[in-house]
Amino acid sequence: MANKSKASIPEAKEALNKFKMEAANEVGVNLKNGYNGHLTAREAGAVGGQMVKKMIQQYEKNMK
């Protein structure tokens, strides 16, 4: 079975990493490129939550 978590398009992977770094910066989480095993579950959740929030805002903006 293929690993669905890996982006097959390099440009998509770059864009997603940039988006993740922007979201982390907005919530005050210090991310570095590569492995971020030092993050707490709360910090990782804050980054993911911010990413979802921004995606929903963009979707709602495009619906108008």
Side-chain angles (χ1 to χ4, degrees), residues 3-16:
N3 185 351
K4 294 181 182 185
S5 67
K6 293 194 180 207
S8 59
I9 302 171
E11 294 83 10
K13 188 174 184 178
E14 284 180 34
L16 189 57

Side-chain angles (χ1 to χ4, degrees), residues 38-63:
H38 67 283
L39 293 181
T40 64
R42 177 171 287 212
E43 291 171 324
V47 174
Q50 182 68 11
M51 290 173 72
V52 170
K53 180 180 175 182
K54 290 182 75 163
M55 286 186 275
I56 291 170
Q57 288 173 342
Q58 186 64 36
Y59 178 78
E60 289 174 343
K61 179 182 168 187
N62 288 337
M63 286 184 61

Side-chain angles (χ1 to χ4, degrees), residues 29-49:
V29 174
N30 184 24
L31 276 187
K32 55 186 175 182
N33 288 325
Y35 182 69
N36 284 287
H38 67 283
L39 293 181
T40 64
R42 177 171 287 212
E43 291 171 324
V47 174

